[in-house]
Amino acid sequence: MAALDDLQAAMDNLQHAMSELKSPKVNTKLAGNNLSDATVKICVLGAGAFGTAMATVAARNNHEVVIYARDQAVVDSINNDHINPKYKMETFTLPSNITSTTNVAEAVAGAGLIMHALPAQKSPDFFREHKDVIPDDVIICSTAKGLYLRSKCLLSEAILGPDGLDRAQPMAFLSGPSFAVQIMQEMPTAVVVGAKFMPHAVAIQRWLSSLSFRVYTTQDTVGVELGGALKNPLAVGAGMIEGLGLGINTMAALVTRATKELMKLCTAMGGKAETISGLAGIGDLMLTAFGDLSRNRTCGMRIIQGEKLEDILATTTVEGVPTAEVAMHFGQLCGLQDELPIFTAVAGILAGTMKPEEAQQFLMGRPLGSE
């Protein structure tokens, strides 16, 4: 009897998920660049580099795309010249089916999907301010890779909690090794989208996938969210190694052991090891540790070169900085504070409690052990 009750509950959950998903029937046959014949209106919140790239991905699949931007000059440039003049996007001509507005209500009206591409620390306040115009049955797919410093929690908890929408809302999380410029250049890119209900993830997969942008799916939202966020302070550490000129031996050691710490913390928080072994974990870490376009890596290099952290943050969003503090908080909650030495060293340097030159002694002088 209990088994029948569990089965009925599972069917009820699936039916609820399907009812939330207001999308046309999709055809997954290969049709040119678009892997689905279905089209919807897609709203992109944020006209930064990644928001512009996501808008372009969607527009290439023939969706109607509206970008919300705060800057009227950016809106005018997108609408009149099909160019985003900021964030190193000015060399790309945007598809003609992308428009822009400074009005959130106009941007989200009639949308089948809302792509969230705003800075993580500003996101909950944004959603709280605009909750009345955001439909509560539309999927919000977050591309922000960060943890929320104010409440020291997952960004999803902040967005859906009292700091943000303060309600239930279909949510998904897109992550993986994906520099915006290379997406714009149509270099083959693979990402993963996680959602509690698989129909939500599959819908986003079909709406966005193409021959240059491949989307995988998972229901491990915790792993996707944590993998994308926690790799950021580790990438700051990679930049510090690069800035110190310590060589590829040291960099390979950092990435390998950082992956171990990333997996340990993510699984302790409820994520799955296989997610961290995939695009949202190791894939994204490798990209940001070795890629010249990484803001987190660049931040680490600039710190080593003597720049003050506050000066760097005055002009650049570096999600790894606030995330480092939240990562240590999570480590303490899980009783792992002594098992995350790389996170500890990076957080210490960013907080000013450890000097870069002290990090080698801290990391290499620890008690010896097995791998």
Side-chain angles (χ1 to χ4, degrees):
M1 193 67 179
L4 289 175
D5 290 341
D6 291 342
L7 178 59
Q8 184 60 51
M11 293 299 293
D12 289 343
N13 286 337
L14 179 59
Q15 186 176 15
H16 175 67
M18 294 300 291
S19 68
E20 285 182 335
L21 183 57
K22 296 183 176 179
S23 64
K25 183 178 181 180
V26 293
N27 180 353
T28 56
K29 292 180 180 180
L30 187 63
N33 190 52
N34 186 353
L35 299 186
S36 171
D37 290 335
T39 58
V40 295
K41 176 181 175 180
I42 294 179
C43 164
V44 178
L45 298 176
F50 204 78
T52 303
M54 287 296 94
T56 302
V57 165
R60 286 170 179 162
N61 282 359
N62 300 316
H63 300 295
E64 175 192 354
V65 182
V66 180
I67 300 175
Y68 161 77
R70 294 180 302 168
D71 190 335
Q72 185 64 53
V74 170
V75 169
D76 292 341
S77 181
I78 291 173
N79 289 336
N80 299 327
D81 304 319
H82 306 297
I83 291 174
N84 183 340
K86 291 187 174 182
Y87 311 107
K88 300 181 180 179
M89 292 286 107
E90 64 275 3
T91 60
F92 299 102
T93 300
L94 303 180
S96 59
N97 51 326
I98 294 177
T99 59
S100 187
T101 178
T102 58
N103 187 303
V104 177
E106 180 182 334
V108 302
L113 174 66
I114 296 173
M115 297 293 297
H116 162 239
L118 299 168
Q121 303 309 314
K122 298 179 180 180
S123 294
D125 288 341
F126 176 89
F127 281 109
R128 186 180 66 250
E129 180 181 349
H130 298 288
K131 64 179 292 185
D132 291 340
V133 299
I134 296 175
D136 61 7
D137 59 348
V138 175
I139 307 168
I140 296 174
C141 181
S142 177
T143 66
K145 299 175 180 178
L147 302 174
Y148 192 51
L149 180 59
R150 186 191 305 169
S151 303
K152 289 186 170 61
C153 65
L154 294 174
L155 183 59
S156 59
E157 294 175 321
I159 289 175
L160 296 178
D163 289 328
L165 292 169
D166 196 22
R167 69 187 186 210
Q169 179 91 27
M171 280 207 72
F173 306 90
L174 186 146
S175 192
S178 49
F179 284 144
V181 168
Q182 295 187 7
I183 293 173
M184 297 295 291
Q185 294 169 335
E186 295 193 77
M187 294 186 180
T189 299
V191 298
V192 60
V193 61
K196 179 180 179 181
F197 298 112
M198 186 57 78
H200 295 164
V202 170
I204 296 167
Q205 177 187 52
R206 292 175 176 174
W207 286 331
L208 299 184
S209 289
S210 69
L211 296 181
S212 61
F213 193 79
R214 185 173 178 85
V215 182
Y216 290 86
T217 62
T218 180
Q219 288 180 278
D220 180 19
T221 58
V222 174
V224 172
E225 197 172 351
L226 283 175
L230 291 175
K231 65 90 178 50
N232 287 328
L234 299 174
V236 174
M240 293 175 180
I241 286 176
E242 184 73 18
L244 290 167
L246 292 178
I248 195 65
N249 282 6
T250 309
M251 186 68 77
L254 173 100
V255 171
T256 304
R257 296 304 301 176
T259 299
K260 181 89 169 182
E261 293 187 23
L262 182 62
M263 187 171 295
K264 187 173 292 188
L265 183 52
C266 286
T267 53
M269 291 292 293
K272 295 181 179 179
E274 54 264 36
T275 304
I276 304 307
S277 296
L279 293 165
I282 292 176
D284 214 359
L285 176 59
M286 286 194 295
L287 180 85
T288 50
F290 295 110
D292 292 337
L293 298 174
S294 168
R295 288 175 295 181
N296 290 286
R297 180 178 182 272
T298 301
C299 175
M301 294 177 63
R302 292 172 67 181
I303 289 172
I304 295 302
Q305 292 165 357
E307 292 189 55
K308 293 182 179 179
L309 182 58
E310 53 265 33
D311 293 338
I312 297 172
L313 297 180
T315 58
T316 307
T317 298
V318 184
E319 297 290 5
V321 175
T323 298
E325 183 178 336
V326 184
M328 294 310 302
H329 173 71
F330 284 175
Q332 291 170 354
L333 289 178
C334 297
L336 297 175
Q337 61 269 26
D338 297 328
E339 300 180 48
L340 306 172
I342 297 175
F343 275 111
T344 301
V346 173
I349 293 172
L350 292 175
T353 58
M354 181 184 296
K355 297 179 180 179
E357 57 268 25
E358 296 172 340
Q360 181 172 342
Q361 172 64 35
F362 174 76
L363 293 170
M364 301 296 284
R366 300 173 65 246
L368 301 176
S370 62
E371 188 177 34

